[in-house]
Amino acid sequence: MNNSATQIPTDNSTYHIPEAALDLISGPQWLHKMRQTARKVFNDTPLPQRGLALWRYTNPESFLVDHNQMVGAQSCEGCNKTTEEVRQQFNDGNLAGLAIDCCGRDIEIQTGPDAEQGLVILPLSVAMDTHEKLIQKHFGQLVGSDTGKFEALNTALWHDGIFVYVPDNTTIENPVHLLRYGDGAKTTYYPRLLIVLDNNAQLTLIDEYSDGSVEHDNGYAYVNGAVEIFGAKDSRCNYIPLQQHTSSTRIYLNHRTRIEQGASTFTIPLVFGSGLSKENFGVYLDGSGAESNIYGVLFGSGHQQFDNHTLHHHRASKTLSNIDFKVVLRDRAVSAYTGLIRIDQNAVACEAYQGNRNLLLNEGTRAETIPELEILNEDVQCSHGATVGPVDPEMVFFLTARGINREEAIRMIVSGFIEGTLSHIPNNLQERISNIVQQRLEVN
Amino acid sequence: MSEPLFEFKNIHVEVEGKKVVHGVSLKINKGEVHAIMGPNGSGKSSLSNALMGHPAYKITQGEAFLDGRNLINMSADERSRAGLFLAFQYPLAIPGVTVANFMRAALQSHRGKDADMTDFRKLFTAQMKELHVDRSFATRYLNDGFSGGEKKRIEILQMSMLKPRIALLDETDSGLDIDALKQVAEGINRYHNDENGVLMVTHYQRLLNYVKPQYVHVMYKGQFVTSGGPELALKLEDRGYEWIEKKVGQEAEV
């Protein structure tokens, strides 16, 4: 997946974070120090080598921007056009909370009656004052300057983000919906999200990424995001990142979750957007009995390029992980999926399963699938499987033999293919996702 | 005599470049039940699939007409809407597509895109009841994890809903226990009337005890080698297909 649009840097300083950039961002002293470290790491770290495992399919230069664009938008314009449907759901009482994050600059938050139970949704900039200890304990632990060059970029330059907290023994029934908007050509947006679930807390969160502005004629927008989720003992988190950026946006997103004893997490990546994207979904299973499921759906069309990773790192015994990552591609879209299962030597009696199925709707699409297993003890059950291929012609014949035309038959088969995944997402999102898939199947 | 309901003439079929059917012809008039019998590998299923329009089973020569309309240049979905139905020997599972949604889409395609479907649920429920199919099957994924008998019953359910002009039943009796066989046969007999036709393709005679054909055709090595009345099926049951092999062998020597 070469991207010829990126210029080869001739002068390295062009792609350095200027020192003055950090002075534009306020915050507590410890955070400022973290930013300074991250800035240094980013500036001093060479680009990842193309041959290395996670960079086989995407040119890392694609995620560099010159220092003019790097600093990010100083103000946000036009990020409020597509929020009505979600606002309506909130007004109808179907959401526990709603946050609209425009370019990491303006963050609007609404919470319903669930806030009385202790649900906290705040801009990170505010939470730095109100919940400083909690944030200091967690922030940057999963995605920070030591994660990688591009994570260091986010850690140095993110402006504002969202903090979500659910206290002990609290179940938030309705989902929380976050809308995160980047803004147009030649801008950079550094979304940042920190979720903390205390013991036995439960939360469902939809994390929706898109572009507030569709004016992209003058160059691409860049989104570099970081998500950290902490699930304490016996907590349960359903996290649904929905990515619908326009094709003139490039994105680099790293989502990391850490769960403790008896905790479980469902991660349901719904990947539809952006011209070039690299998304990383990782879960650390750190306590006995912890369970993680990742059920993903990706639909690519046009000239979209996707490079997705999953990581299940079993760091405690009797932990269970399961991945079912489904990919549908049409036109000239390409996808690479790399799934790593790592089971530590002292993590015994673990189970880990991984599946990646790729449906190619026409010639000219391409899908790569790379399972990676690092299993350091014998007492595990582990399996992985992958398929890449066109829609089964026998299925098409079966449906057409009942009078259903070929196009409709393919729509039904593709919808059926992702149906099992959609059954895990909240009801009020299911119809929207079905509609997105139907639209993607129809547009020529 | 009026024109036949269904007629095919001199049909030749190729699969992956291999010739498997060598010029077969048949006429079915309204109200008739025919059976094609033959040993495994005689080309029965290839003929059925080719007539239905399976892209891998190419009709290289010959003609086929249903109600006077030429089927040869039609796609499978057009043939279905023209009134041809094939009950599959091995019905395929379609994960994620429920029986009800599939049935609704199929019926909608036959009635037309904008046709009224308000009677769908009532029709569907009634047909499920008649075929002893549990209501829970409506929301199950099509053939996904179904037993052999359940799959065949769901095939007959589709036939009952779509009411084709001609029903081609490919080894519909295979994999059925005696109760399921009777229920499936009842379904076929309920569907059959003076205006439509049935063509059963089968290896064994046992389905023919319950659905009585007027005409039996024996297929062997891609050709119809003999035709007769129902007594021919009994003769085959009695003597086995070796009798046909000998008979064809002798004719070849003459």
Side-chain angles (χ1 to χ4, degrees):
Chain A
M1 296 187 199
N2 280 307
N3 204 291
S4 54
T6 309
Q7 291 165 1
I8 306 292
T10 48
D11 170 12
N12 266 339
S13 66
T14 308
Y15 298 96
H16 278 186
I17 302 171
E19 196 168 3
L22 303 192
D23 299 333
L24 299 168
I25 312 168
S26 58
Q29 191 57 34
W30 64 265
L31 185 62
H32 191 68
K33 270 190 183 159
M34 188 188 277
R35 291 182 190 277
Q36 281 176 324
T37 305
R39 171 181 168 267
K40 190 170 176 345
V41 168
F42 176 78
N43 287 351
D44 294 349
T45 306
L47 279 173
Q49 284 183 16
R50 292 283 324 254
L52 289 178
L54 295 186
W55 291 96
R56 269 178 292 210
Y57 297 100
T58 305
N59 187 345
E61 287 168 9
S62 307
F63 302 111
L64 282 179
V65 283
D66 69 40
H67 61 258
N68 293 319
Q69 183 172 346
M70 196 185 282
V71 175
Q74 294 304 303
S75 63
C76 187
E77 296 161 20
C79 284
N80 53 6
K81 301 291 190 288
T82 56
T83 57
E84 283 316 310
E85 194 179 337
V86 179
R87 273 185 202 279
Q88 192 57 49
Q89 286 181 7
F90 179 79
N91 293 337
D92 292 346
N94 296 324
L95 293 175
L98 167 65
I100 302 169
D101 172 357
C102 292
C103 318
R105 297 280 156 179
D106 302 311
I107 297 174
E108 176 200 330
I109 287 167
Q110 288 180 282
T111 49
D114 293 289
E116 288 162 25
Q117 290 186 61
L119 170 68
V120 173
I121 309 174
L122 287 170
L124 269 166
S125 59
V126 173
M128 289 291 169
D129 291 330
T130 58
H131 296 73
E132 187 174 6
K133 275 188 181 159
L134 205 55
I135 289 173
Q136 202 171 353
K137 184 180 166 192
H138 296 100
F139 188 89
Q141 297 300 304
L142 297 177
V143 185
S145 56
D146 53 356
T147 315
K149 184 175 173 79
F150 298 110
E151 287 80 359
L153 178 62
N154 174 292
T155 305
L157 289 178
W158 71 278
H159 191 95
D160 202 351
I162 299 170
F163 172 64
V164 180
Y165 174 68
V166 183
D168 283 9
N169 300 315
T170 306
T171 297
I172 306 301
E173 293 287 350
N174 284 324
V176 168
H177 199 128
L178 313 181
L179 287 164
R180 323 240 253 145
Y181 292 110
D183 183 32
K186 289 189 177 174
T187 60
T188 297
Y189 167 39
Y190 299 103
R192 190 96 207 185
L193 169 64
L194 174 63
I195 301 174
V196 179
L197 269 62
D198 234 321
N199 294 335
N200 198 30
Q202 293 194 22
L203 176 72
T204 296
L205 186 134
I206 299 157
D207 190 14
E208 179 173 352
Y209 296 77
S210 61
D211 294 295
S213 160
V214 290
E215 301 296 322
H216 285 256
D217 296 342
N218 303 319
Y220 65 88
Y222 177 36
V223 176
N224 177 320
V227 173
E228 296 173 288
I229 301 173
F230 294 85
K233 196 166 168 276
D234 297 324
S235 64
R236 183 180 170 86
C237 183
N238 298 315
Y239 173 62
I240 302 129
L242 164 58
Q243 194 270 100
Q244 320 195 62
H245 282 291
T246 65
S247 59
S248 41
T249 298
R250 289 180 191 177
I251 62 166
Y252 184 95
L253 289 175
N254 200 338
H255 315 70
R256 283 277 183 267
T257 300
R258 187 167 83 200
I259 51 176
E260 293 173 22
Q261 186 187 329
S264 68
T265 177
F266 257 96
T267 308
I268 307 178
L270 303 169
V271 184
F272 299 109
S274 93
L276 173 66
S277 66
K278 195 168 178 66
E279 290 197 66
N280 214 317
F281 305 92
V283 179
Y284 299 94
L285 299 112
D286 277 12
S288 173
E291 176 180 337
S292 168
N293 291 283
I294 300 179
Y295 288 173
V297 170
L298 182 158
F299 196 117
S301 60
H303 284 80
Q304 287 183 293
Q305 296 181 29
F306 301 91
D307 189 352
N308 285 275
H309 314 300
T310 60
L311 164 71
H312 267 147
H313 191 165
H314 294 250
R315 302 201 285 201
S317 296
K318 293 180 186 165
T319 47
L320 168 73
S321 73
N322 184 28
I323 292 178
D324 182 11
F325 201 90
K326 294 173 182 168
V327 174
V328 182
L329 300 175
R330 57 173 285 183
D331 306 331
R332 307 284 292 175
V334 296
S335 160
Y337 166 78
T338 311
L340 170 61
I341 296 171
R342 189 187 159 95
I343 302 180
D344 285 354
Q345 194 169 5
N346 58 357
V348 294
C350 294
E351 290 177 56
Y353 306 101
Q354 183 172 292
N356 170 225
R357 286 178 277 173
N358 298 271
L359 208 47
L360 308 181
L361 299 188
N362 55 264
E363 285 183 22
T365 53
R366 200 174 81 235
E368 304 281 349
T369 173
I370 307 105
E372 295 182 323
L373 307 177
E374 292 176 21
I375 297 171
L376 306 178
N377 77 75
E378 305 268 307
D379 181 15
V380 298
Q381 282 191 50
C382 186
S383 73
H384 63 88
T387 57
V388 179
V391 173
D392 182 350
E394 294 295 332
M395 284 193 194
V396 176
F397 177 60
F398 189 97
L399 295 181
T400 55
R402 297 295 177 254
I404 298 163
N405 70 45
R406 190 180 156 78
E407 290 70 31
E408 175 68 13
I410 289 172
R411 271 200 292 276
M412 288 176 75
I413 294 164
V414 174
S415 303
F417 177 65
I418 64 164
E419 164 68 24
T421 305
L422 296 191
S423 65
H424 293 283
I425 65 179
N427 293 337
N428 43 2
L429 194 60
Q430 276 180 19
E431 198 183 327
R432 255 183 85 200
I433 301 302
S434 296
N435 289 341
I436 291 172
V437 171
Q438 293 306 321
Q439 279 167 16
R440 296 293 290 269
L441 279 165
E442 275 161 31
V443 173
N444 282 310
Chain B
M1 173 129 189
S2 62
E3 70 173 12
L5 169 63
F6 183 52
E7 180 175 24
F8 55 84
K9 297 179 197 166
N10 192 29
I11 294 285
H12 291 251
V13 179
E14 252 184 52
V15 186
E16 293 172 346
K18 199 180 156 208
K19 291 178 176 145
V20 291
V21 176
H22 315 283
V24 294
S25 304
L26 188 66
K27 273 184 200 174
I28 300 178
N29 295 306
K30 286 176 186 170
E32 289 179 356
V33 177
H34 291 238
I36 299 175
M37 298 187 71
N40 288 331
S42 57
K44 305 187 300 290
S45 279
S46 298
L47 175 64
S48 310
N49 278 302
L51 288 171
M52 194 66 237
H54 192 302
Y57 296 81
K58 293 196 174 64
I59 296 182
T60 53
Q61 205 182 317
E63 296 179 294
F65 298 92
L66 174 56
D67 281 325
R69 296 172 66 192
N70 190 346
L71 296 176
I72 294 296
N73 292 321
M74 291 186 186
S75 57
D77 55 308
E78 288 167 335
R79 291 181 201 197
S80 167
R81 296 196 297 270
L84 187 64
F85 181 90
L86 171 62
F88 288 93
Q89 183 177 5
Y90 303 110
L92 208 65
I94 317 271
V97 177
T98 64
V99 174
N101 282 348
F102 160 67
M103 206 56 255
R104 176 185 285 274
L107 194 60
Q108 183 88 66
S109 77
H110 279 250
R111 289 183 176 179
K113 201 158 61 74
D114 303 317
D116 182 19
M117 291 291 284
T118 46
D119 59 340
F120 171 74
R121 188 154 295 279
K122 206 174 142 192
L123 265 175
F124 185 53
T125 313
Q127 290 295 347
M128 282 204 294
K129 203 173 166 191
E130 295 230 355
L131 283 157
H132 305 270
V133 173
D134 191 88
R135 290 177 70 120
S136 66
F137 276 77
T139 52
R140 287 182 61 182
Y141 296 151
L142 185 61
N143 296 326
D144 202 6
F146 292 13
S147 73
E150 287 162 351
K151 285 181 189 172
K152 294 299 171 79
R153 255 186 282 218
I154 297 293
E155 290 290 289
I156 299 304
L157 174 71
Q158 292 161 41
M159 182 186 76
S160 310
M161 294 287 288
L162 297 177
K163 297 188 169 39
R165 303 284 293 138
I166 278 282
L168 271 171
L169 308 170
D170 188 5
E171 305 278 0
T172 292
D173 52 334
S174 70
L176 297 183
D177 63 31
I178 191 69
D179 291 333
L181 181 70
K182 280 183 186 166
Q183 286 162 1
V184 162
E186 277 167 22
I188 299 168
N189 288 329
R190 253 197 317 275
Y191 147 79
H192 180 54
N193 61 32
D194 292 345
E195 288 299 308
N196 61 28
V198 175
L199 178 56
M200 288 179 286
V201 174
T202 181
H203 182 90
Y204 299 104
Q205 196 266 338
R206 61 178 200 153
L207 178 63
L208 311 187
N209 291 334
Y210 301 97
V211 183
K212 306 268 188 224
Q214 292 104 341
Y215 304 95
V216 175
H217 315 275
V218 179
M219 196 167 183
Y220 182 67
K221 292 191 175 171
Q223 287 179 308
F224 288 166
V225 290
T226 186
S227 292
E231 74 287 348
L232 185 56
L234 295 170
K235 199 168 177 181
L236 275 175
E237 177 84 347
D238 192 35
R239 300 197 187 176
Y241 285 111
E242 276 177 29
W243 164 65
I244 290 292
E245 284 165 28
K246 276 187 196 145
K247 188 170 144 88
V248 173
Q250 280 161 8
E251 279 167 13
E253 278 169 30
V254 176

